[in-house]
Amino acid sequence: MRSGAVGWESVTEPDRQIARWVEETPFVDTHEHLIEESQRLSGAIHPRTLPCNDWAYLFRSYAAEDLVVAGLPASDLRRFLGPDIASQEKYRLIAPYWERIRHTGYAQALRHTFRGVYGEEDLTAESLPRIAEKYRETVQPGFYARILDLANIKGCHVNSLQRIFMETEQPDLLDHDISILQLCRCSAADFAWLEAETGRRPTTLDEWLEVIDFYFATYGAKAVAVKSQIAYSRALDFEPVTKAHAARLFPHHADRVGALHALGPEDLKALQDYLFRYCVGKAGEYGLPVKLHTGVLAGYGVMQLARTRSNAADVCRLLQEFPETRFVLMHIGYPYEHEFIALAKHYPNAAIDMCWAWIINPVAGVRFLKEFLMAVPSNKIFTFGGDYVAVEPIYGHACVARRGIARALSQLVAEGWIALEDTRDLIDRIMRGNALHFFQKAHRDDTTQR
Protein backbone atom coordinates (compact mmCIF):
# COMPACT_ATOMS: atom_id res chain seq x y z
CA MET A 1 0.00 0.00 0.00
CA ARG A 2 1.38 3.34 -1.04
CA SER A 3 0.69 5.29 2.15
CA GLY A 4 -0.04 2.46 4.55
CA ALA A 5 -3.40 4.10 5.01
CA VAL A 6 -6.00 1.41 5.45
CA GLY A 7 -3.99 -0.67 7.90
CA TRP A 8 -6.59 -3.24 8.98
CA GLU A 9 -6.86 -6.93 8.34
CA SER A 10 -9.85 -7.56 6.10
CA VAL A 11 -11.69 -10.79 6.77
CA THR A 12 -13.33 -11.20 3.38
CA GLU A 13 -12.29 -10.74 -0.21
CA PRO A 14 -14.79 -7.85 -0.69
CA ASP A 15 -13.19 -6.09 2.31
CA ARG A 16 -9.76 -6.49 0.77
CA GLN A 17 -10.98 -5.25 -2.62
CA ILE A 18 -12.63 -2.17 -1.11
CA ALA A 19 -9.49 -1.44 0.92
CA ARG A 20 -7.37 -1.62 -2.25
CA TRP A 21 -9.71 0.73 -4.12
CA VAL A 22 -9.72 3.23 -1.27
CA GLU A 23 -5.95 3.07 -1.00
CA GLU A 24 -5.29 3.70 -4.67
CA THR A 25 -7.82 6.53 -5.06
CA PRO A 26 -6.37 10.02 -4.55
CA PHE A 27 -8.00 12.46 -2.19
CA VAL A 28 -8.83 16.03 -3.03
CA ASP A 29 -8.11 17.71 0.31
CA THR A 30 -10.79 20.35 0.87
CA HIS A 31 -9.55 22.03 4.05
CA GLU A 32 -6.16 22.92 5.54
CA HIS A 33 -4.61 25.93 7.29
CA LEU A 34 -1.10 25.46 5.88
CA ILE A 35 1.34 28.31 6.16
CA GLU A 36 3.54 28.87 3.14
CA GLU A 37 6.35 26.35 2.72
CA SER A 38 8.91 29.17 2.67
CA GLN A 39 7.98 30.09 6.24
CA ARG A 40 8.59 26.54 7.37
CA LEU A 41 11.93 26.51 5.55
CA SER A 42 12.98 29.81 7.10
CA GLY A 43 12.19 28.57 10.60
CA ALA A 44 11.05 32.07 11.55
CA ILE A 45 9.13 31.72 14.81
CA HIS A 46 5.59 33.08 14.83
CA PRO A 47 3.55 32.76 18.05
CA ARG A 48 0.43 31.56 16.27
CA THR A 49 1.55 29.68 13.18
CA LEU A 50 5.11 28.51 13.97
CA PRO A 51 5.66 28.71 17.73
CA CYS A 52 8.56 26.26 17.53
CA ASN A 53 10.47 24.52 14.76
CA ASP A 54 10.99 20.99 16.04
CA TRP A 55 9.00 17.77 16.37
CA ALA A 56 6.74 19.35 19.02
CA TYR A 57 5.26 21.51 16.25
CA LEU A 58 3.42 18.44 14.95
CA PHE A 59 1.35 18.46 18.17
CA ARG A 60 0.22 22.07 17.74
CA SER A 61 -2.94 20.92 16.00
CA TYR A 62 -4.56 19.03 17.66
CA ALA A 63 -2.90 16.49 19.88
CA ALA A 64 -1.70 19.26 22.19
CA GLU A 65 -5.32 19.87 23.19
CA ASP A 66 -5.83 16.21 24.10
CA LEU A 67 -2.70 16.40 26.25
CA VAL A 68 -4.21 19.22 28.31
CA VAL A 69 -7.57 17.48 28.58
CA ALA A 70 -5.65 14.41 29.81
CA GLY A 71 -4.06 16.48 32.58
CA LEU A 72 -0.99 18.29 31.19
CA PRO A 73 -0.81 21.72 32.87
CA ALA A 74 -1.41 24.57 30.42
CA SER A 75 1.88 26.16 31.53
CA ASP A 76 3.73 23.00 30.53
CA LEU A 77 1.93 22.97 27.18
CA ARG A 78 3.20 26.51 26.50
CA ARG A 79 6.74 25.38 27.28
CA PHE A 80 6.32 22.26 25.13
CA LEU A 81 5.17 24.27 22.11
CA GLY A 82 7.73 27.01 22.65
CA PRO A 83 11.21 27.35 21.16
CA ASP A 84 13.24 27.55 24.36
CA ILE A 85 13.58 24.08 25.87
CA ALA A 86 15.51 21.05 24.66
CA SER A 87 13.95 18.12 22.84
CA GLN A 88 14.39 15.65 25.70
CA GLU A 89 12.82 18.07 28.15
CA LYS A 90 9.83 18.43 25.84
CA TYR A 91 9.39 14.69 25.77
CA ARG A 92 9.66 14.47 29.57
CA LEU A 93 6.85 17.01 29.90
CA ILE A 94 4.36 15.08 27.78
CA ALA A 95 5.36 11.42 28.16
CA PRO A 96 2.83 10.50 30.89
CA TYR A 97 0.02 12.19 28.99
CA TRP A 98 0.99 10.75 25.61
CA GLU A 99 0.26 7.31 27.03
CA ARG A 100 -3.22 8.51 27.95
CA ILE A 101 -4.11 9.94 24.54
CA ARG A 102 -2.32 7.67 22.10
CA HIS A 103 -5.56 5.98 20.96
CA THR A 104 -7.51 9.19 20.25
CA GLY A 105 -7.95 10.22 16.63
CA TYR A 106 -5.61 13.18 17.11
CA ALA A 107 -2.82 10.96 18.39
CA GLN A 108 -3.46 8.19 15.87
CA ALA A 109 -2.89 10.68 13.05
CA LEU A 110 0.50 11.51 14.58
CA ARG A 111 1.40 7.87 15.07
CA HIS A 112 0.63 7.17 11.40
CA THR A 113 2.82 10.16 10.51
CA PHE A 114 5.69 8.92 12.67
CA ARG A 115 5.39 5.54 10.95
CA GLY A 116 4.82 6.61 7.34
CA VAL A 117 6.90 9.79 7.13
CA TYR A 118 9.68 9.08 9.63
CA GLY A 119 9.77 5.26 9.73
CA GLU A 120 9.20 5.08 13.51
CA GLU A 121 6.47 2.97 15.05
CA ASP A 122 5.65 5.39 17.86
CA LEU A 123 6.93 8.27 19.95
CA THR A 124 9.05 6.80 22.75
CA ALA A 125 12.12 7.83 24.70
CA GLU A 126 14.14 5.59 22.36
CA SER A 127 12.65 6.85 19.10
CA LEU A 128 12.56 10.53 20.08
CA PRO A 129 16.11 11.43 18.93
CA ARG A 130 15.49 9.81 15.56
CA ILE A 131 12.11 11.54 15.16
CA ALA A 132 13.70 14.87 16.07
CA GLU A 133 16.40 14.38 13.46
CA LYS A 134 14.01 13.15 10.79
CA TYR A 135 11.80 16.19 11.41
CA ARG A 136 14.77 18.42 10.53
CA GLU A 137 15.72 16.27 7.55
CA THR A 138 12.17 16.38 6.16
CA VAL A 139 11.82 20.18 6.16
CA GLN A 140 13.56 20.73 2.84
CA PRO A 141 12.48 22.55 -0.35
CA GLY A 142 9.56 20.76 -1.99
CA PHE A 143 8.54 18.83 1.12
CA TYR A 144 4.90 19.97 0.95
CA ALA A 145 4.47 18.32 -2.44
CA ARG A 146 6.41 15.24 -1.35
CA ILE A 147 4.27 14.63 1.74
CA LEU A 148 0.99 15.27 -0.05
CA ASP A 149 2.08 12.88 -2.79
CA LEU A 150 3.06 10.29 -0.17
CA ALA A 151 -0.48 10.62 1.21
CA ASN A 152 -1.89 10.28 -2.33
CA ILE A 153 -3.48 13.73 -2.21
CA LYS A 154 -4.01 15.57 -5.50
CA GLY A 155 -4.80 19.18 -4.72
CA CYS A 156 -5.34 20.93 -1.42
CA HIS A 157 -7.60 23.81 -0.28
CA VAL A 158 -6.10 26.22 2.24
CA ASN A 159 -7.82 28.70 4.52
CA SER A 160 -4.93 30.96 5.52
CA LEU A 161 -4.72 32.12 9.13
CA GLN A 162 -2.30 34.86 8.09
CA ARG A 163 -4.07 36.73 5.29
CA ILE A 164 -7.64 37.20 4.07
CA PHE A 165 -6.42 35.69 0.80
CA MET A 166 -2.96 34.18 0.49
CA GLU A 167 -1.21 34.60 -2.84
CA THR A 168 0.43 31.20 -2.56
CA GLU A 169 3.90 30.37 -3.82
CA GLN A 170 2.56 26.98 -5.00
CA PRO A 171 -0.62 27.64 -7.00
CA ASP A 172 -0.35 24.30 -8.78
CA LEU A 173 -0.52 22.52 -5.42
CA LEU A 174 -2.58 24.77 -3.14
CA ASP A 175 -5.92 26.48 -3.73
CA HIS A 176 -6.99 29.18 -1.28
CA ASP A 177 -10.22 30.39 0.25
CA ILE A 178 -11.11 34.02 0.87
CA SER A 179 -11.48 34.33 4.63
CA ILE A 180 -14.57 36.43 5.31
CA LEU A 181 -14.20 36.19 9.10
CA GLN A 182 -12.32 39.48 9.34
CA LEU A 183 -14.73 41.11 6.89
CA CYS A 184 -17.84 40.52 8.97
CA ARG A 185 -16.84 40.02 12.63
CA CYS A 186 -15.76 43.65 13.14
CA SER A 187 -13.52 43.21 16.19
CA ALA A 188 -10.70 45.61 16.97
CA ALA A 189 -8.28 42.99 15.66
CA ASP A 190 -10.20 42.85 12.38
CA PHE A 191 -9.95 46.62 11.90
CA ALA A 192 -6.21 46.38 12.50
CA TRP A 193 -5.94 43.38 10.15
CA LEU A 194 -7.68 45.19 7.29
CA GLU A 195 -5.59 48.32 7.83
CA ALA A 196 -2.39 46.26 7.71
CA GLU A 197 -3.43 44.55 4.47
CA THR A 198 -5.05 47.46 2.63
CA GLY A 199 -3.74 50.62 4.27
CA ARG A 200 -7.35 51.68 4.85
CA ARG A 201 -9.24 52.22 8.11
CA PRO A 202 -12.93 52.55 7.25
CA THR A 203 -15.06 54.86 9.36
CA THR A 204 -18.34 54.39 7.49
CA LEU A 205 -20.22 51.32 6.38
CA ASP A 206 -19.81 52.25 2.72
CA GLU A 207 -16.03 52.42 3.17
CA TRP A 208 -16.06 48.96 4.80
CA LEU A 209 -18.16 47.57 1.96
CA GLU A 210 -15.65 49.01 -0.50
CA VAL A 211 -12.97 46.93 1.22
CA ILE A 212 -15.12 43.80 0.92
CA ASP A 213 -15.73 44.58 -2.74
CA PHE A 214 -11.97 45.01 -3.23
CA TYR A 215 -11.19 41.54 -1.90
CA PHE A 216 -13.80 39.85 -4.07
CA ALA A 217 -12.84 41.85 -7.16
CA THR A 218 -9.14 41.13 -6.64
CA TYR A 219 -9.27 37.50 -5.53
CA GLY A 220 -12.70 36.16 -6.47
CA ALA A 221 -11.44 34.60 -9.69
CA LYS A 222 -8.45 33.05 -7.90
CA ALA A 223 -10.27 31.67 -4.87
CA VAL A 224 -11.78 28.22 -4.57
CA ALA A 225 -14.37 29.24 -1.93
CA VAL A 226 -15.00 31.67 0.89
CA LYS A 227 -14.63 30.50 4.49
CA SER A 228 -15.89 31.69 7.86
CA GLN A 229 -15.26 30.28 11.32
CA ILE A 230 -17.40 32.91 13.02
CA ALA A 231 -19.22 30.09 14.84
CA TYR A 232 -16.34 30.24 17.33
CA SER A 233 -17.67 33.55 18.64
CA ARG A 234 -21.43 33.63 17.93
CA ALA A 235 -24.45 31.72 16.71
CA LEU A 236 -25.06 31.24 12.99
CA ASP A 237 -28.47 32.94 13.13
CA PHE A 238 -27.84 35.70 10.59
CA GLU A 239 -31.00 37.75 10.29
CA PRO A 240 -31.84 40.29 7.59
CA VAL A 241 -30.73 43.81 8.59
CA THR A 242 -31.28 46.90 6.50
CA LYS A 243 -28.29 48.77 5.18
CA ALA A 244 -29.62 51.94 6.80
CA HIS A 245 -29.62 50.32 10.24
CA ALA A 246 -26.12 48.86 9.75
CA ALA A 247 -24.88 52.26 8.54
CA ARG A 248 -26.12 53.90 11.75
CA LEU A 249 -24.26 51.35 13.87
CA PHE A 250 -20.96 51.31 12.00
CA PRO A 251 -19.54 54.82 12.67
CA HIS A 252 -20.00 54.46 16.41
CA HIS A 253 -18.23 51.09 16.31
CA ALA A 254 -15.43 52.36 14.08
CA ASP A 255 -14.79 55.46 16.18
CA ARG A 256 -14.37 53.41 19.32
CA VAL A 257 -12.64 50.41 17.82
CA GLY A 258 -10.13 50.34 20.65
CA ALA A 259 -12.96 49.10 22.87
CA LEU A 260 -13.86 45.55 21.95
CA HIS A 261 -17.44 46.03 23.09
CA ALA A 262 -18.09 49.47 21.66
CA LEU A 263 -21.49 48.18 20.55
CA GLY A 264 -23.83 46.26 22.78
CA PRO A 265 -24.36 42.59 21.96
CA GLU A 266 -27.59 43.14 20.01
CA ASP A 267 -26.17 46.01 17.96
CA LEU A 268 -22.92 44.14 17.23
CA LYS A 269 -24.93 41.10 16.15
CA ALA A 270 -27.01 43.26 13.81
CA LEU A 271 -23.90 44.75 12.22
CA GLN A 272 -22.31 41.31 11.82
CA ASP A 273 -25.57 39.93 10.41
CA TYR A 274 -25.60 42.58 7.71
CA LEU A 275 -21.93 42.18 6.81
CA PHE A 276 -22.05 38.39 6.76
CA ARG A 277 -25.08 38.36 4.47
CA TYR A 278 -23.38 40.94 2.26
CA CYS A 279 -20.36 38.62 1.96
CA VAL A 280 -22.61 35.65 1.19
CA GLY A 281 -24.22 37.73 -1.54
CA LYS A 282 -20.80 38.56 -2.99
CA ALA A 283 -19.83 34.90 -2.88
CA GLY A 284 -22.94 34.06 -4.87
CA GLU A 285 -22.11 36.81 -7.36
CA TYR A 286 -18.68 35.27 -7.94
CA GLY A 287 -19.96 31.68 -7.95
CA LEU A 288 -17.98 30.78 -4.83
CA PRO A 289 -19.21 28.20 -2.32
CA VAL A 290 -19.47 29.37 1.30
CA LYS A 291 -17.63 27.13 3.76
CA LEU A 292 -18.94 27.40 7.34
CA HIS A 293 -17.37 25.99 10.46
CA THR A 294 -19.97 24.00 12.38
CA GLY A 295 -19.85 21.76 15.42
CA VAL A 296 -17.10 21.18 17.93
CA LEU A 297 -14.50 23.89 18.55
CA ALA A 298 -10.73 23.52 18.56
CA GLY A 299 -8.96 24.38 21.79
CA TYR A 300 -10.03 23.35 25.26
CA GLY A 301 -12.19 24.73 28.03
CA VAL A 302 -14.10 27.23 25.88
CA MET A 303 -16.89 25.46 23.99
CA GLN A 304 -20.52 26.37 24.73
CA LEU A 305 -22.55 23.38 23.60
CA ALA A 306 -25.84 25.27 23.68
CA ARG A 307 -24.63 27.45 20.81
CA THR A 308 -22.95 24.57 19.00
CA ARG A 309 -26.14 22.53 19.26
CA SER A 310 -28.06 25.24 17.42
CA ASN A 311 -25.74 25.36 14.37
CA ALA A 312 -27.88 23.14 12.15
CA ALA A 313 -31.12 24.90 13.00
CA ASP A 314 -29.52 28.32 12.60
CA VAL A 315 -28.23 27.74 9.07
CA CYS A 316 -31.67 26.78 7.76
CA ARG A 317 -32.48 30.45 7.20
CA LEU A 318 -29.34 30.97 5.14
CA LEU A 319 -30.06 27.90 3.05
CA GLN A 320 -33.59 29.12 2.39
CA GLU A 321 -32.84 32.77 1.72
CA PHE A 322 -29.77 32.18 -0.48
CA PRO A 323 -31.02 29.23 -2.55
CA GLU A 324 -28.57 29.86 -5.42
CA THR A 325 -25.53 29.95 -3.11
CA ARG A 326 -23.84 26.66 -2.32
CA PHE A 327 -22.98 26.12 1.35
CA VAL A 328 -20.40 23.66 2.66
CA LEU A 329 -21.10 22.69 6.27
CA MET A 330 -17.83 21.60 7.77
CA HIS A 331 -16.74 18.98 10.30
CA ILE A 332 -20.13 17.13 10.07
CA GLY A 333 -21.43 19.37 12.86
CA TYR A 334 -20.00 16.92 15.41
CA PRO A 335 -21.37 15.94 17.91
CA TYR A 336 -24.74 16.77 16.31
CA GLU A 337 -23.97 15.12 12.99
CA HIS A 338 -27.39 13.54 12.45
CA GLU A 339 -28.96 16.98 12.05
CA PHE A 340 -26.48 17.75 9.27
CA ILE A 341 -27.47 14.61 7.41
CA ALA A 342 -31.03 15.94 7.56
CA LEU A 343 -29.92 19.34 6.21
CA ALA A 344 -28.03 17.80 3.28
CA LYS A 345 -30.98 15.56 2.49
CA HIS A 346 -33.48 18.43 2.47
CA TYR A 347 -31.63 21.42 1.00
CA PRO A 348 -30.25 21.28 -2.56
CA ASN A 349 -27.63 23.94 -1.73
CA ALA A 350 -26.17 22.19 1.35
CA ALA A 351 -23.13 19.90 1.16
CA ILE A 352 -21.19 18.32 4.03
CA ASP A 353 -17.42 18.22 4.49
CA MET A 354 -15.87 15.54 6.69
CA CYS A 355 -12.70 17.63 7.13
CA TRP A 356 -11.26 17.26 10.65
CA ALA A 357 -14.04 14.84 11.63
CA TRP A 358 -12.02 11.65 11.10
CA ILE A 359 -9.59 12.56 13.87
CA ILE A 360 -12.15 14.15 16.19
CA ASN A 361 -13.80 10.74 16.46
CA PRO A 362 -12.89 8.09 13.86
CA VAL A 363 -15.67 5.72 14.90
CA ALA A 364 -18.28 8.48 14.63
CA GLY A 365 -16.88 9.20 11.16
CA VAL A 366 -17.58 5.63 10.07
CA ARG A 367 -21.13 5.77 11.44
CA PHE A 368 -21.72 9.16 9.82
CA LEU A 369 -20.52 8.12 6.39
CA LYS A 370 -22.66 4.97 6.44
CA GLU A 371 -25.78 6.87 7.45
CA PHE A 372 -25.10 9.75 5.06
CA LEU A 373 -24.77 7.46 2.06
CA MET A 374 -28.04 5.78 2.96
CA ALA A 375 -29.92 9.07 3.26
CA VAL A 376 -28.36 11.69 0.97
CA PRO A 377 -27.34 11.80 -2.70
CA SER A 378 -23.69 10.78 -2.82
CA ASN A 379 -22.56 13.89 -4.71
CA LYS A 380 -23.11 16.03 -1.61
CA ILE A 381 -20.17 14.95 0.51
CA PHE A 382 -16.41 15.61 0.62
CA THR A 383 -14.56 13.03 2.68
CA PHE A 384 -11.20 14.54 3.56
CA GLY A 385 -9.55 17.66 4.85
CA GLY A 386 -6.77 17.52 7.41
CA ASP A 387 -7.40 20.96 8.98
CA TYR A 388 -3.72 21.37 9.89
CA VAL A 389 -1.23 24.23 9.92
CA ALA A 390 1.66 21.76 9.61
CA VAL A 391 1.78 19.56 6.51
CA GLU A 392 3.24 16.41 8.08
CA PRO A 393 0.18 15.26 10.08
CA ILE A 394 -1.98 15.48 6.94
CA TYR A 395 -0.38 12.17 5.97
CA GLY A 396 -1.50 10.52 9.20
CA HIS A 397 -4.97 12.00 9.04
CA ALA A 398 -5.35 10.66 5.50
CA CYS A 399 -4.46 7.19 6.81
CA VAL A 400 -7.20 7.42 9.44
CA ALA A 401 -9.69 8.68 6.84
CA ARG A 402 -8.91 5.91 4.34
CA ARG A 403 -9.36 3.30 7.02
CA GLY A 404 -12.70 4.83 8.01
CA ILE A 405 -13.98 5.06 4.44
CA ALA A 406 -13.01 1.45 3.74
CA ARG A 407 -14.70 0.26 6.93
CA ALA A 408 -17.90 2.20 6.24
CA LEU A 409 -18.24 0.85 2.71
CA SER A 410 -17.29 -2.69 3.70
CA GLN A 411 -19.98 -2.67 6.36
CA LEU A 412 -22.59 -1.36 3.90
CA VAL A 413 -21.67 -4.13 1.45
CA ALA A 414 -21.69 -6.81 4.15
CA GLU A 415 -25.07 -5.62 5.39
CA GLY A 416 -26.49 -5.77 1.87
CA TRP A 417 -27.15 -2.05 1.43
CA ILE A 418 -24.67 -1.55 -1.43
CA ALA A 419 -23.43 -4.01 -4.04
CA LEU A 420 -19.69 -4.53 -4.21
CA GLU A 421 -19.66 -3.67 -7.92
CA ASP A 422 -21.13 -0.23 -7.12
CA THR A 423 -18.46 0.74 -4.61
CA ARG A 424 -15.61 1.48 -7.05
CA ASP A 425 -17.35 4.45 -8.64
CA LEU A 426 -18.73 5.54 -5.27
CA ILE A 427 -15.24 5.64 -3.78
CA ASP A 428 -13.98 7.77 -6.64
CA ARG A 429 -16.92 10.15 -6.26
CA ILE A 430 -16.68 10.76 -2.52
CA MET A 431 -12.88 10.92 -2.32
CA ARG A 432 -12.18 13.17 -5.29
CA GLY A 433 -14.89 13.48 -7.93
CA ASN A 434 -17.32 15.51 -5.86
CA ALA A 435 -14.67 18.06 -4.95
CA LEU A 436 -13.40 18.35 -8.51
CA HIS A 437 -16.91 19.04 -9.75
CA PHE A 438 -18.11 21.26 -6.91
CA PHE A 439 -15.05 23.49 -6.49
CA GLN A 440 -14.39 24.67 -10.02
CA LYS A 441 -10.94 26.04 -9.17
CA ALA A 442 -9.91 22.56 -8.05
CA HIS A 443 -9.97 21.15 -11.62
CA ARG A 444 -6.45 20.01 -12.45
CA ASP A 445 -4.66 17.89 -14.99
CA ASP A 446 -4.93 14.53 -13.33
CA THR A 447 -3.81 11.31 -14.91
CA THR A 448 -6.24 9.45 -12.68
CA GLN A 449 -9.23 11.35 -14.11
CA ARG A 450 -11.79 8.77 -15.19
Side-chain angles (χ1 to χ4, degrees):
M1 292 188 296
R2 184 179 186 184
S3 62
V6 175
W8 55 282
E9 289 298 325
S10 301
V11 296
T12 68
E13 181 54 35
D15 292 338
R16 286 189 285 270
Q17 181 62 73
I18 289 169
R20 285 193 294 268
W21 285 335
V22 169
E23 178 65 18
E24 69 189 30
T25 301
F27 273 126
V28 172
D29 181 341
T30 51
H31 186 57
E32 301 295 347
H33 294 293
L34 294 171
I35 62 177
E36 288 293 284
E37 183 180 283
S38 60
Q39 186 178 347
R40 289 290 306 277
L41 296 174
S42 75
I45 299 300
H46 186 282
R48 185 178 185 192
T49 54
L50 192 61
C52 62
N53 191 23
D54 58 44
W55 62 273
Y57 182 58
L58 306 184
F59 281 74
R60 177 210 176 273
S61 304
Y62 295 90
E65 297 156 12
D66 273 355
L67 291 173
V68 174
V69 173
L72 177 71
S75 58
D76 284 348
L77 177 67
R78 288 191 292 272
R79 295 178 64 210
F80 173 70
L81 293 178
D84 298 327
I85 64 173
S87 184
Q88 290 289 348
E89 175 64 9
K90 289 192 172 193
Y91 179 75
R92 187 193 67 77
L93 284 175
I94 70 161
Y97 309 100
W98 175 246
E99 288 303 310
R100 300 174 188 177
I101 75 164
R102 60 193 303 272
H103 299 296
T104 70
Y106 291 166
Q108 287 201 35
L110 285 188
R111 290 166 62 198
H112 279 295
T113 295
F114 295 147
R115 187 177 304 119
V117 177
Y118 300 148
E120 298 292 338
E121 280 301 308
D122 206 341
L123 176 65
T124 65
E126 181 183 22
S127 69
L128 171 67
R130 297 190 297 271
I131 288 174
E133 179 60 28
K134 288 170 183 175
Y135 172 92
R136 291 189 291 270
E137 292 174 353
T138 297
V139 182
Q140 301 294 332
F143 81 109
Y144 274 28
R146 288 195 296 274
I147 287 176
L148 293 177
D149 184 64
L150 187 65
N152 198 11
I153 292 171
K154 306 298 183 186
C156 182
H157 298 186
V158 179
N159 170 224
S160 175
L161 300 177
Q162 296 176 292
R163 295 190 64 84
I164 290 175
F165 184 85
M166 178 64 74
E167 292 270 28
T168 180
E169 301 158 354
Q170 302 187 76
D172 292 334
L173 183 67
L174 308 178
D175 282 307
H176 274 72
D177 303 326
I178 297 173
S179 176
I180 60 171
L181 177 66
Q182 295 81 10
L183 301 177
C184 60
R185 184 176 53 186
C186 266
S187 70
D190 299 326
F191 275 81
W193 191 311
L194 262 65
E195 185 174 21
E197 285 201 11
T198 68
R200 303 175 64 179
R201 193 175 187 91
T203 58
T204 68
L205 179 64
D206 280 334
E207 290 175 353
W208 189 271
L209 297 182
E210 288 174 3
V211 172
I212 294 175
D213 291 347
F214 160 79
Y215 278 104
F216 277 92
T218 305
Y219 302 116
K222 300 177 182 180
V224 70
V226 304
K227 163 72 190 305
S228 176
Q229 54 265 55
I230 202 168
Y232 274 81
S233 60
R234 57 158 286 170
L236 298 178
D237 56 338
F238 298 98
E239 300 176 288
V241 174
T242 67
K243 182 178 180 181
H245 182 47
R248 287 193 295 271
L249 297 173
F250 191 91
H252 172 70
H253 191 58
D255 288 345
R256 298 182 58 206
V257 71
L260 287 175
H261 302 289
L263 292 177
E266 290 185 5
D267 286 340
L268 181 58
K269 178 184 182 301
L271 181 57
Q272 291 176 344
D273 287 354
Y274 176 82
L275 292 171
F276 180 87
R277 291 170 72 100
Y278 184 86
C279 287
V280 170
K282 297 299 290 188
E285 180 183 329
Y286 282 83
L288 294 171
V290 178
K291 296 179 177 179
L292 292 180
H293 175 98
T294 65
V296 69
L297 305 183
Y300 55 89
V302 297
M303 182 167 59
Q304 301 295 316
L305 274 182
R307 188 172 72 216
T308 303
R309 187 182 300 117
S310 73
N311 283 171
D314 285 341
V315 300
C316 288
R317 186 167 199 165
L318 289 172
L319 295 169
Q320 291 169 359
E321 296 184 2
F322 294 89
E324 302 304 316
T325 299
R326 297 168 296 155
F327 290 86
V328 180
L329 308 178
M330 308 179 84
H331 319 313
I332 71 174
Y334 182 86
Y336 305 108
E337 59 267 25
H338 292 95
E339 297 176 32
F340 287 82
I341 293 175
L343 286 178
K345 184 172 183 64
H346 188 83
Y347 287 99
N349 57 335
I352 306 298
D353 198 323
M354 295 190 72
C355 57
W356 193 27
W358 289 111
I359 55 171
I360 294 172
N361 183 339
V363 176
V366 172
R367 290 197 302 266
F368 174 84
L369 184 57
K370 287 181 64 180
E371 294 186 19
F372 185 97
L373 292 174
M374 292 294 94
V376 184
S378 60
N379 63 313
K380 303 192 70 184
I381 191 166
F382 317 115
T383 53
F384 182 69
D387 211 344
Y388 286 114
V389 175
V391 71
E392 295 92 329
I394 296 174
Y395 171 90
H397 192 163
C399 292
V400 175
R402 289 179 190 277
R403 179 174 185 175
I405 292 168
R407 278 205 181 276
L409 292 173
S410 288
Q411 289 175 18
L412 289 173
V413 169
E415 293 163 7
W417 296 112
I418 295 177
L420 176 63
E421 57 266 27
D422 292 338
T423 59
R424 182 66 187 96
D425 288 342
L426 184 59
I427 288 166
D428 187 79
R429 183 177 306 126
I430 67 176
M431 292 180 66
R432 59 183 295 278
N434 288 345
L436 289 173
H437 178 75
F438 189 91
F439 299 101
Q440 295 302 310
K441 289 290 292 181
H443 284 293
R444 300 185 185 281
D445 292 332
D446 184 350
T447 57
T448 65
Q449 180 73 43
R450 290 162 54 88

